[in-house]
């Protein structure tokens, strides 16, 4: 009985009498604790690494996306004072070829001068085949990128020319040879049968049909010419047809043609546009561009594609209009959006050749870069102290200015003008749509 009493009974916390503090179990517990600590550190480091990766991705996306919303930049090049420019007549047109190496200057006396863009060095000069004693009265350009130019003469005729640039690689060196070509012959085309001066002019070539529209006072002259070439003799003949349109109510200040040859826009008076339907040879309607009686339209041009018309006014405003089909199916001319350059009169609007952007220059020498669809103002910068004549390169990567007897060029950095918050998240009124839509 006493021996039984001396036997150790199992403790209440260990009813089976197992020993959990043996050296082997203690080693296992220490190893498990170490593994727990390592797992906890591994999970913590992994979580922090994921957060760091997400943060880096955010900064990378911000680095990529934010530049899309930045504006344009200009980088000035050295001004040039070439000797040939001092003796040249007043400029009518400046233009550059695609590589930004060769530029063209057309003067009021009909002299064409090609020169190096970077240095201003004269290359080739020629005189246009103008009739004896006849002067250039006005100038019109076809759609952006066509390089076609029409010159309205003071004897009622029109000379159509095209400046081209032939590229060759003699000895593996790129050489650009500028040429002036006359796609409808070097003999001027008679536009006004009475031989009166062509005060305003518009030109368009579509599917081999040349359409010329001129104005003398309030009277319009529209001539359609089809070019036919004899395959055996190479002789070129023109088949002409005149389109009779009613006279404009006020004196014409500018003409523009739709590239589909459907519409003729006659800017007249202070701020009016008469739109003519060329298929029906009648007036579509008269549209008032400005409600402000103290303001007036100073210049107009067509955007890339020719559907939209851009109007600049005397208070620095720029408006975009195009034809819209109404509820009853009849087309009408409507204002779509507007921009503001500065407070001086807008003298020149230059559309880009590959995007729906454009550049504008005013009488105070302020240059602006805009994009129509994105409705963005990308740049406003003073480039001269007064009016200047500008030329925009085909890739919209350089602008060339002639001012005060000198030449000045600027490099343009404008990679993403079409991106804007309104274009991404708001309704956009695209050309050929009857209203703004999410597209």
């Amino acid at each position: 009985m006493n021996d039984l009493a001396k036997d150790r009974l199992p403790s209440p916390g260990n009813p089976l009498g197992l020993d959990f503090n043996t050296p082997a179990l203690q080693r296992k517990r220490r190893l498990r604790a170490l593994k727990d600590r390592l797992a906890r550190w591994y999970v913590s480091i992994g979580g922090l690494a994921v957060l760091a990766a997400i943060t880096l991705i955010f900064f990378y996306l911000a680095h990529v996306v934010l530049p899309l919303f930045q504006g344009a930049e200009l980088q000035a090049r050295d001004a040039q004072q070439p000797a040939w420019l001092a003796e040249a007549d007043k400029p009518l047109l400046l233009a550059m070829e695609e590589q930004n190496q060769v530029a063209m200057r057309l003067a009021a006396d009909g002299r064409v001068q090609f020169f190096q863009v970077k240095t201003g060095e004269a290359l080739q000069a020629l005189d246009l085949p103008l009739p004896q004693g006849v002067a250039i009265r006005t100038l019109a350009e076809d759609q952006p990128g066509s390089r076609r130019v029409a010159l309205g003469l003071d004897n009622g005729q029109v000379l159509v020319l095209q400046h081209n640039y032939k590229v060759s690689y003699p000895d593996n060196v790129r050489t650009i040879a500028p040429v002036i070509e006359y796609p409808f012959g070097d003999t001027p085309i008679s536009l006004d049968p009475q031989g009166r001066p062509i005060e305003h002019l518009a030109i368009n070539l579509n599917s081999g049909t040349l359409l010329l529209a001129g104005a003398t006072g309030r009277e319009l002259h529209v001539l359609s010419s089809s070019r036919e070439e004899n395959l055996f003799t190479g002789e070129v003949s023109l088949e002409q047809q005149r389109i009779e349109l009613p006279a404009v109510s006020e004196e014409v200040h500018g003409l523009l043609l739709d590239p589909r040859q459907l519409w003729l826009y006659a800017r007249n008076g202070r701020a009016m546009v008469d739109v003519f339907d060329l298929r029906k040879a009648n007036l579509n309607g008269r549209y008032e561009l400005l409600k402000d009686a103290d303001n007036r339209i100073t210049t107009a041009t067509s955007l890339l594609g020719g559907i939209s018309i851009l109007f600049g006014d005397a208070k620095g405003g720029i408006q975009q209009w195009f034809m819209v089909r109404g509820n009853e199916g009849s087309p009408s001319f409507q204002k779509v959006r507007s921009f503001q350059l500065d407070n001086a009169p807008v003298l020149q609007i230059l559309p880009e050749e590959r995007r729906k952007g454009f550049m504008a220059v005013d009488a105070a020498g302020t240059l602006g870069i805009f994009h129509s669809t994105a409705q963005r103002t990308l740049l406003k910068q003073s480039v001269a102290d007064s009016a200047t004549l500008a030329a925009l390169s085909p890739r919209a990567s350089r602008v060339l200015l002639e001012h005060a007897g000198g030449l000045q060029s600027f490099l343009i950095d404008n990679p993403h003008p079409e991106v804007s918050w309104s274009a991404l998240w708001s309704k956009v009124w695209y050309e050929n749509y009857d209203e703004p839509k999410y597209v």
Side-chain angles (χ1 to χ4, degrees):
M1 186 71 179
N2 292 332
D3 292 336
L4 293 174
K6 291 179 180 179
D7 292 339
R8 295 183 60 183
L9 298 176
S11 63
N14 187 11
L16 300 179
L18 299 177
D19 188 358
F20 292 100
N21 292 317
T22 63
L25 292 178
Q26 290 178 0
R27 285 194 302 270
K28 288 184 178 180
R29 283 197 295 270
R30 286 194 299 268
L31 182 59
R32 184 166 56 246
L34 177 61
K35 291 180 178 179
D36 288 343
R37 286 194 295 269
L38 291 176
R40 185 164 55 250
W41 279 105
Y42 178 78
V43 172
S44 299
I45 293 173
L48 293 175
V50 171
L51 293 176
I54 293 175
T55 304
L56 290 176
I57 292 174
F58 171 79
F59 281 108
Y60 172 76
L61 292 176
H63 171 74
V64 173
V65 173
L66 288 180
L68 299 179
F69 298 92
Q70 294 179 354
E73 294 182 358
L74 291 182
Q75 184 179 356
R77 294 308 191 194
D78 294 335
Q80 306 157 3
Q81 297 283 342
W84 60 266
L85 187 59
E87 303 173 356
D89 203 351
K90 181 180 70 172
L92 296 180
L93 176 67
L94 281 178
M96 282 185 288
E97 50 83 30
E98 186 173 9
Q99 304 301 328
N100 295 340
Q101 295 183 7
V102 179
M104 183 204 72
R105 181 186 189 270
L106 172 60
D109 58 0
R111 187 167 182 81
V112 176
Q113 178 69 62
F114 294 99
F115 60 94
Q116 292 282 356
V117 173
K118 293 184 178 180
T119 64
E121 178 184 355
L123 296 176
Q124 177 186 356
L126 56 92
D127 294 316
L128 297 178
L130 301 178
Q132 185 69 27
V134 175
I136 300 174
R137 190 65 177 268
T138 186
L139 178 145
E141 294 184 81
D142 203 344
Q143 292 300 305
S146 67
R147 299 189 299 277
R148 276 185 298 274
V149 180
L151 304 178
L153 309 179
D154 61 4
N155 65 348
Q157 293 182 324
V158 175
L159 178 64
V160 178
L161 59 95
Q162 188 166 342
H163 53 100
N164 289 323
Y165 306 87
K166 299 181 179 180
V167 182
S168 59
Y169 294 87
D171 300 327
N172 292 326
V173 177
R174 182 172 59 192
T175 303
I176 300 176
V179 295
I180 294 293
E181 299 176 345
Y182 304 94
F184 291 86
D186 58 2
T187 301
I189 301 172
S190 179
L191 184 58
D192 183 1
Q194 300 182 29
R196 293 168 295 180
I198 303 299
E199 298 174 352
H200 301 282
L201 185 64
I203 177 176
N204 179 255
L205 179 63
N206 186 1
S207 300
T209 300
L210 175 69
L211 191 63
L212 295 172
T216 303
R218 298 189 299 110
E219 187 175 346
L220 298 176
H221 319 286
V222 181
L223 179 65
S224 177
S225 303
S226 298
R227 180 178 181 271
E228 296 182 0
E229 183 177 353
N230 191 306
L231 298 178
F232 298 100
T233 64
E235 182 180 356
V236 177
S237 60
L238 294 179
E239 181 179 343
Q240 298 182 342
Q241 178 183 2
R242 294 190 177 273
I243 302 176
E244 300 295 334
L245 295 176
V248 182
S249 57
E250 299 183 66
E251 184 177 354
V252 176
H253 296 306
L255 296 173
L256 289 170
L257 280 168
D258 177 79
R260 301 162 298 181
Q261 300 184 355
L262 301 178
W263 309 103
L264 171 63
Y265 306 94
R267 179 167 59 90
N268 61 89
R270 178 186 61 84
M272 297 295 298
V273 168
D274 288 12
V275 180
F276 293 91
D277 188 336
L278 296 178
R279 294 165 298 182
K280 301 178 181 178
N282 61 13
L283 178 67
N284 167 268
R286 303 194 71 229
Y287 302 92
E288 185 178 13
L289 302 176
L290 299 171
K291 300 296 183 181
D292 184 0
D294 297 327
N295 201 357
R296 61 183 176 84
I297 298 297
T298 54
T299 186
T301 190
S302 58
L303 201 60
L304 175 65
I307 305 299
S308 294
I309 308 297
L310 300 172
F311 297 97
D313 62 47
K315 293 187 177 181
I318 302 173
Q319 302 179 14
Q320 179 185 359
W321 291 61
F322 55 70
M323 298 297 291
V324 176
R325 189 167 298 277
N327 296 330
E328 299 179 357
S330 58
S332 63
F333 201 43
Q334 293 193 24
K335 177 182 175 181
V336 178
R337 53 182 65 93
S338 61
F339 306 86
Q340 187 68 34
L341 176 56
D342 206 354
N343 298 319
V346 179
L347 299 184
Q348 193 177 8
I349 301 176
L350 299 170
E352 294 189 20
E353 295 185 9
R354 301 178 180 180
R355 302 180 298 195
K356 293 292 186 178
F358 62 94
M359 185 183 72
V361 182
D362 67 13
T366 301
L367 182 147
I369 299 178
F370 308 87
H371 192 275
S372 61
T373 307
Q375 200 164 357
R376 291 187 65 184
T377 300
L378 297 139
L379 175 74
K380 292 182 184 180
Q381 183 172 324
S382 177
V383 295
D385 55 7
S386 61
T388 180
L389 182 65
L392 184 62
S393 68
R395 298 180 181 179
S397 58
R398 184 186 289 259
V399 57
L400 177 65
L401 308 175
E402 178 178 341
H403 172 69
L407 298 172
Q408 174 78 64
S409 65
F410 295 84
L411 296 181
I412 303 175
D413 182 19
N414 185 26
H416 304 289
E418 69 282 353
V419 180
S420 68
W421 291 112
S422 61
L424 292 174
W425 306 111
S426 302
K427 292 182 179 181
V428 179
W429 199 341
Y430 290 100
E431 296 174 343
N432 296 320
Y433 282 75
D434 55 359
E435 61 182 8
K437 293 182 179 180
Y438 292 108
V439 179

